[in-house]
Amino acid sequence: MLWKRKATLAELNKIGEGCMVAHLGIEITRLSDDELEATMPVDNRTTQPFGLLHGGASVVLAESLGSMAGYLCTLEGQQIVGLEINANHLKAVRSGKVRGCCRAIHVGRSHQVWQIDIFDEQDQLCCTSRLTTAVLTR
């Protein structure tokens, strides 16, 4: 198992309350031994003026998943901060929900690299993102 911390879906979703994660309707939906998934609605909170999923909203979903996964890979007294994120937007989405799937590329003592792929409701890849995080000790 990849994770060092024990957490339930309910506990992970509680962490997202009162911040951008909740504001955009992001919900952690699956926690496996080495993957973390979440959904986000495509609605007035997450679209741009032309009715398409906003690229920035996709990046928020990606960074939220990668940061949460990074947190799960730390010990008490450590925290995760993002260093760099990139995203390639591959397909427009106009409605429904998107699903982000986060997998580790590298989990080291001081840095982590996460791959986050975002799919539409037809399971077509819409966005692929890579997040690099730093592990800080308080």
Side-chain angles (χ1 to χ4, degrees):
M1 178 182 285
L2 181 63
W3 318 122
K4 294 178 181 176
R5 294 181 191 254
K6 301 258 189 243
T8 66
L9 290 177
E11 291 166 339
L12 294 177
N13 283 305
K14 186 155 183 66
I15 291 170
E17 290 178 359
C19 65
M20 185 179 285
V21 173
H23 178 72
L24 295 185
I26 295 170
E27 179 184 359
I28 308 292
T29 55
R30 188 171 79 84
L31 175 64
S32 72
D33 287 346
D34 60 356
E35 288 183 346
L36 186 63
E37 285 189 9
T39 59
M40 180 177 68
V42 180
D43 62 17
N44 64 315
R45 297 170 290 179
T46 60
T47 55
Q48 36 95 311
F50 305 105
L52 303 175
L53 177 62
H54 195 294
S58 295
V59 172
V60 170
L61 175 58
E63 184 150 1
S64 298
L65 273 168
S67 294
M68 191 68 71
Y71 162 78
L72 291 170
C73 289
T74 61
L75 300 170
E76 192 64 37
Q78 294 179 316
Q79 69 181 58
I80 291 297
V81 295
L83 293 178
E84 190 272 338
I85 190 164
N86 68 54
N88 294 95
H89 306 290
L90 308 172
K91 183 178 182 307
V93 182
R94 291 187 178 276
S95 63
K97 285 186 177 183
V98 290
R99 175 180 55 87
C101 181
C102 179
R103 291 177 296 284
I105 294 174
H106 171 75
V107 178
R109 288 177 309 174
S110 61
H111 290 87
Q112 304 168 344
V113 180
W114 299 96
Q115 178 70 38
I116 304 97
D117 292 323
I118 300 174
F119 301 90
D120 65 13
E121 290 182 317
Q122 289 72 47
D123 227 20
Q124 295 179 317
L125 184 63
C126 303
C127 177
T128 185
S129 183
R130 184 171 291 192
L131 171 68
T132 303
T133 61
V135 179
L136 303 179
T137 302
R138 292 181 237 172

